[in-house]
Amino acid sequence: MDLTFSNIVFLVFVALVVLTLKLGVKIVPQSENWLVERLGKFNRKLEAGLHLILPFFETVRYKVPIQERQLPPKPINAITLDNVTISVSLAVLYRIVDASKTMYRIANVDDAIMTIVNGTVRSVIGKTDLDGVQSNRRQLSDEIEQDLRIVSEEWGILLTRVEILEVDVDPETKQAMQLQLNAERNRRALVREAEGKKQATELDADAQLYAAHKQAEAMKIRADAEAYSVKAVSQAIAAGGASAVEFEIKKIQAQAVQDLAKGNNAKIVLLPTDVVSSLGGSLGQLAQRWSGKD
């Protein structure tokens, strides 16, 4: 086909239409925001989806990822309230919520955030002693996050998480902390041993007190029995006089002789004459009492 003037004009027109469509139709992915400038000045922000811009007058200047990102956890040196030099590693996560502020107000957002993090961490750590840093990490992380959020809003970013990952101290402080820890363990061991001895002493004293109490009760029972026996004897004496007492004694002797005679090996029983005479008298008295009862 011969290239005539009309054909050339048609081809130029078609190329211009294609170029216009290419420059004017924009498809923004879900993970990005695009910033559009009109004649060199920021005009608007394009979010995910299909958009049309004015070719040759408007251009996409920045394509900003809005996914959550994390700063490199670089150690930060700080001095605690009790003058201990420590190294703190933080995990800082953030995402861009206003791309226009992020791209037009700050040159390097990561470096800017890291600078603010360093100053904020040193300020917060400087108001807390070493034990407080070790035991209150969550509280310190919340305080650091709160201070950073005030500054980050000016840059169009949102801090989603600030976490203290590690707290490290110098070797001299580590050694001193280890000595303190060992001393505390020894102190606890001594306290437990002393408490054990105290409990053992208290239990032994309770056992002795219990034994003494039981012995006192036994002595009281024996004393009551003896008192009762004495009282019974006294009543017998008062009622029957000496003859009643002598009669009771003779009865006991007779019972003893009877038990002795019942033995298997006892063939001949020899008794003293005074026992025989007394037994005789006792038997006579018994016979008289039985006859009197009849």
Side-chain angles (χ1 to χ4, degrees):
M1 183 180 65
D2 295 335
L3 292 177
T4 62
F5 178 75
S6 60
N7 291 335
I8 294 175
V9 171
F10 177 76
L11 292 176
V12 171
F13 177 76
V14 171
L16 184 60
V17 171
V18 172
L19 180 60
T20 301
L21 292 175
K22 182 178 180 181
L23 295 177
V25 178
K26 302 296 180 182
I27 300 177
V28 181
Q30 184 68 37
S31 61
E32 293 181 353
N33 284 165
W34 291 4
L35 302 181
V36 177
E37 292 182 356
R38 179 179 295 177
L39 300 177
K41 183 180 179 180
F42 170 72
N43 181 262
R44 65 186 183 276
K45 176 179 67 175
L46 303 181
E47 297 181 350
L50 178 64
H51 298 273
L52 297 176
I53 65 173
L54 296 176
F56 310 109
F57 293 97
E58 295 180 344
T59 181
V60 176
R61 179 63 61 184
Y62 298 106
K63 298 179 179 181
V64 183
I66 59 174
Q67 297 168 319
E68 190 173 17
R69 63 185 72 178
Q70 178 181 352
L71 291 178
K74 298 179 181 178
I76 302 173
N77 295 326
I79 300 176
T80 62
L81 183 63
D82 48 354
N83 295 324
V84 178
T85 302
I86 63 175
S87 178
V88 182
S89 295
L90 291 179
V92 180
L93 286 81
Y94 73 96
R95 62 185 179 89
I96 296 175
V97 294
D98 192 341
S100 61
K101 292 182 180 180
T102 305
M103 303 310 297
Y104 289 104
R105 290 189 180 184
I106 193 72
N108 190 320
V109 65
D110 288 351
D111 291 344
I113 293 177
M114 201 64 206
T115 301
I116 299 301
V117 167
N118 290 341
T120 304
V121 168
R122 292 190 177 100
S123 175
V124 173
I125 296 298
K127 297 183 293 184
T128 311
D129 57 14
L130 181 60
D131 292 338
V133 174
Q134 295 284 6
S135 59
N136 299 322
R137 292 191 179 188
R138 182 67 264 165
Q139 180 179 353
L140 293 176
S141 298
D142 293 341
E143 188 173 352
I144 293 172
E145 183 177 351
Q146 184 65 29
D147 291 345
L148 290 175
R149 183 173 287 112
I150 298 175
V151 180
S152 63
E153 290 177 354
E154 299 179 0
W155 298 337
I157 64 175
L158 174 64
L159 291 174
T160 57
R161 187 73 172 178
V162 177
E163 189 73 29
I164 297 178
L165 299 178
E166 185 178 0
V167 177
D168 196 11
V169 298
D170 55 274
E172 291 79 8
T173 305
K174 282 185 178 180
Q175 184 177 3
M177 291 174 62
Q178 186 62 41
L179 293 175
Q180 183 180 1
L181 180 61
N182 293 336
E184 180 65 18
R185 288 175 179 173
N186 293 333
R187 185 190 68 81
R188 291 181 180 179
L190 292 175
V191 169
R192 290 179 181 177
E193 182 180 0
E195 289 178 351
K197 291 181 178 179
K198 177 183 177 183
Q199 292 178 359
T201 303
E202 290 177 351
L203 292 176
D204 183 64
D206 291 341
Q208 293 181 5
L209 180 61
Y210 179 79
H213 179 70
K214 291 300 181 181
Q215 290 177 0
E217 289 182 352
M219 293 177 64
K220 182 177 181 299
I221 293 173
R222 287 196 298 268
D224 292 341
E226 292 176 358
Y228 179 79
S229 299
V230 173
K231 182 178 180 181
V233 173
S234 300
Q235 290 177 352
I237 294 174
S243 59
V245 176
E246 183 179 358
F247 175 75
E248 292 295 331
I249 294 174
K250 299 300 183 180
K251 186 169 66 173
I252 293 173
Q253 289 178 349
Q255 184 64 37
V257 173
Q258 184 180 359
D259 294 339
L260 181 62
K262 289 180 180 180
N264 296 329
N265 298 326
K267 301 301 182 179
I268 299 176
V269 179
L270 299 176
L271 297 176
T273 56
D274 57 344
V275 174
V276 174
S277 61
S278 63
L279 285 175
S282 299
L283 292 175
Q285 293 179 0
L286 287 174
Q288 291 178 1
R289 289 195 176 187
W290 287 340
S291 62
K293 291 181 179 180
D294 294 335

